Amino acid sequence: MSCLWFPYAQMQTMPLPLKVARAEGVKLCLENGQELIDAISSWWCAIHGYNNKEINAALQEQMQKFSHVMLGGLTHEPAERLAEKLVSKTQGLNHVFFADSGSVGMEVAMKMAVQFWKNNGVEGKYKFAALYKGYHGDTTGVMSIGDPEEGMHHLFKGFLPKQFFINPNLNEMESLFKEHSKEIAAFACEPLLQGAGGFNFYSPEFLKGAIALCKKYNVLFIADEIATGFGRTGTMFACEQAGVQPDIMVLGKALTGGYLGLSATLASTHVYNSFLGESEKAFMHGPTFMGNALACSAALASLEIFERENYLQKIARINEILEEELLNFEARGVKETRVLGACGVIETLSEKDHKGIQEFAAERGVWLRPFLNVVYTMPPYIISEKELRKVCRVMKEFFAPGSTHAQCCNVV
Ligand SMILES: Cc1ncc(COP(=O)(O)O)c(C=O)c1O
């Protein structure tokens, strides 16, 4: 084993990771010559697949000029154009703060919410409300608003600040706000689709009601669209399906088409204006690599392709195929299947019921990474119908009677 330390892995027992030599289109090409369809878009970010000629060219062009300059006191065209472009895709979110990862983008949103109230002369709002089964990243602040029971929260109990948690239920939310809204700076959620907490879906009605309650009780609303943004739930942003406009929205992952780390925290004019005035009101954050010129150039090229190639239509077709393939699927060990936008999920009764599926799928040319009790696909949007049906077939075959499931169960 190399000296690399891998994520979320018990290094002592982890099976040897598959070594990627190249990647092209939706395929990961391994050193051993094997090719795998990436059914999960490298943790949901590689929406154009790999080695996209247009994004490559945009990066090369930018690299000839400069790769990175600090954004403190300097500015550049890629960052300015990208900020304008993102603003044009939303309604009323007119200000963009860049950072280098989704987690940090969410940290930025939390700090923005706390400082918003302080700048408005409202003291005591230092807590957050969030949803059970939510996930917002791995850094300290955002870990505190991740699921307190099943997430990493419990490991770091005593270290993390205590926050408030509710289910996506408006009565619960109102009861919480009635008692604690004076302490709560913002409510944060992944709109419609909770990803890393187990691929749970909830209704746009909850979002609509939640934003109304936030307004009523003076709590800001933060939409974490890091996973849902850029079409994953069927619309450009999931919030659109509820017709709601958050006070703060965070984007990441697919923002650069999966090429480079970049996040954008967008704020409404109302939030932004509270930072104007005396120098102490300035927003106190500034990552070294914020607005990295290469990342911004990749994001601009990615958005250009997204629009020109009408990705929302491609996503609608992916959705139809996923529904056809997965919705009526029943098998031993399978609790439920569900589909939203370009995300298809097989939920098993327990983690044991999908043990071995990763190796099973890899042997058949598909890259999956199940976790908790879910096996899911979030494919690159360029996936062909044939490739997508193959992904679904392999996911289902594992559970079919007489599959080699039993042999695979010995492999972690
Ligand atoms: C909804 C959501 N928020 C935040 C993050 C953290 O993003 P990053 O891994 O880029 O820090 C993730 C990552 O999976 C996510 O799914």
Side-chain angles (χ1 to χ4, degrees):
M1 182 71 83
S2 71
C3 42
L4 262 181
W5 195 336
F6 287 87
Y8 311 118
Q10 175 42 262
M11 295 301 295
Q12 215 168 357
T13 52
M14 178 185 142
L16 276 183
L18 307 180
K19 202 158 188 177
V20 177
R22 283 182 313 109
E24 184 77 43
V26 296
K27 298 234 169 99
L28 303 170
C29 312
L30 306 186
E31 252 189 5
N32 66 7
Q34 210 189 348
E35 291 192 351
L36 307 181
I37 298 172
D38 181 358
I40 55 170
S41 309
S42 271
W43 274 334
W44 331 336
C45 63
I47 55 173
H48 311 286
Y50 299 96
N51 205 2
N52 180 284
K53 301 288 171 282
E54 209 169 319
I55 304 179
N56 290 357
L59 284 170
Q60 267 153 9
E61 195 186 326
Q62 182 55 42
M63 227 182 299
Q64 304 303 319
K65 299 176 189 159
F66 63 94
S67 296
H68 178 72
V69 295
M70 63 194 276
L71 220 53
L74 300 174
T75 187
H76 53 79
E77 202 204 331
E80 291 193 353
R81 276 209 297 134
L82 180 59
E84 267 170 41
K85 184 90 196 166
L86 293 174
V87 164
S88 76
K89 298 265 142 230
T90 65
Q91 277 175 355
L93 295 172
N94 293 324
H95 303 277
V96 184
F97 195 96
F98 288 119
D100 34 28
S101 71
S103 301
V104 177
M106 278 300 293
E107 296 282 349
V108 166
M110 290 174 79
K111 283 175 71 175
M112 220 176 241
V114 167
Q115 209 181 329
F116 166 85
W117 293 112
K118 279 187 94 65
N119 285 356
N120 277 300
V122 181
E123 284 300 328
K125 277 173 158 310
Y126 297 119
K127 297 238 171 253
F128 287 81
L131 293 179
Y132 284 113
K133 300 196 185 294
Y135 173 84
H136 300 282
D138 288 353
T139 51
T140 307
V142 295
M143 254 202 302
S144 79
I145 56 169
D147 187 283
E149 277 141 33
E150 288 172 17
M152 280 170 276
H153 217 276
H154 63 281
L155 270 178
F156 298 96
K157 210 171 168 182
F159 169 57
L160 298 178
K162 273 209 162 107
Q163 312 289 11
F164 297 107
F165 293 91
I166 54 164
N167 292 297
N169 174 304
L170 295 173
N171 293 331
E172 265 185 55
M173 191 174 201
E174 183 142 33
S175 304
L176 171 69
F177 284 180
K178 267 187 185 149
E179 207 175 331
H180 292 289
S181 65
K182 288 201 165 52
E183 302 158 62
I184 300 175
F187 166 69
C189 67
E190 297 154 90
L192 303 189
L193 162 62
Q194 294 179 294
F199 289 94
N200 304 294
F201 306 159
Y202 62 85
S203 81
E205 293 313 310
F206 170 74
L207 274 189
K208 253 188 220 155
I211 216 153
L213 286 175
C214 283
K215 282 203 169 48
K216 181 171 164 191
Y217 287 92
N218 280 329
V219 170
L220 292 179
F221 185 103
I222 301 173
D224 176 350
E225 295 248 16
I226 290 163
T228 52
F230 306 103
R232 191 52 74 180
T233 67
T235 43
M236 188 66 171
F237 304 116
C239 280
E240 290 171 22
Q241 292 179 47
V244 296
Q245 191 225 294
D247 298 296
I248 299 173
M249 178 166 89
V250 188
L251 303 171
K253 287 195 184 276
L255 173 58
T256 62
Y259 263 68
L260 288 153
L262 180 70
S263 65
T265 303
L266 283 82
S268 68
T269 303
H270 176 61
V271 168
Y272 176 80
N273 282 350
S274 75
F275 289 82
L276 306 179
E278 308 88 72
S279 58
E280 310 82 75
K281 286 191 168 180
F283 184 47
M284 295 315 274
H285 201 91
T288 304
F289 286 101
M290 73 180 288
N292 174 270
L294 291 178
C296 290
S297 303
L300 283 163
S302 170
L303 276 162
E304 164 89 26
I305 300 166
F306 195 102
E307 285 167 353
R308 192 190 60 228
E309 311 275 320
N310 200 349
Y311 269 37
L312 289 178
Q313 211 169 50
K314 286 188 203 296
I315 291 162
R317 181 65 191 134
I318 290 174
N319 177 262
E320 279 172 5
I321 298 169
L322 290 175
E323 287 194 352
E324 272 171 39
E325 293 282 346
L326 298 180
L327 279 193
N328 295 318
F329 177 63
E330 289 176 4
R332 187 172 50 88
V334 171
K335 183 175 169 201
E336 184 188 285
T337 58
R338 50 187 180 269
V339 171
L340 180 67
C343 172
V345 181
I346 297 180
E347 181 175 335
T348 55
L349 293 168
S350 75
E351 219 166 307
K352 277 201 319 277
D353 293 300
H354 64 58
K355 196 171 173 199
I357 196 171
Q358 190 168 25
E359 294 73 13
F360 178 92
E363 280 166 17
R364 288 155 182 79
V366 174
W367 174 238
L368 295 174
R369 190 171 153 99
F371 68 100
L372 300 174
N373 62 334
V374 288
V375 180
Y376 72 95
T377 176
M378 289 226 215
Y381 301 148
I382 59 154
I383 196 165
S384 70
E385 176 162 349
K386 192 167 161 218
E387 288 161 336
L388 184 56
R389 290 203 190 273
K390 175 173 175 178
V391 166
C392 295
R393 195 176 64 241
V394 168
M395 283 167 74
K396 292 188 292 187
E397 255 173 30
F398 177 78
F399 298 96
S403 79
T404 50
H405 174 182
Q407 294 158 23
C408 293
C409 280
N410 297 327
V411 193
V412 176

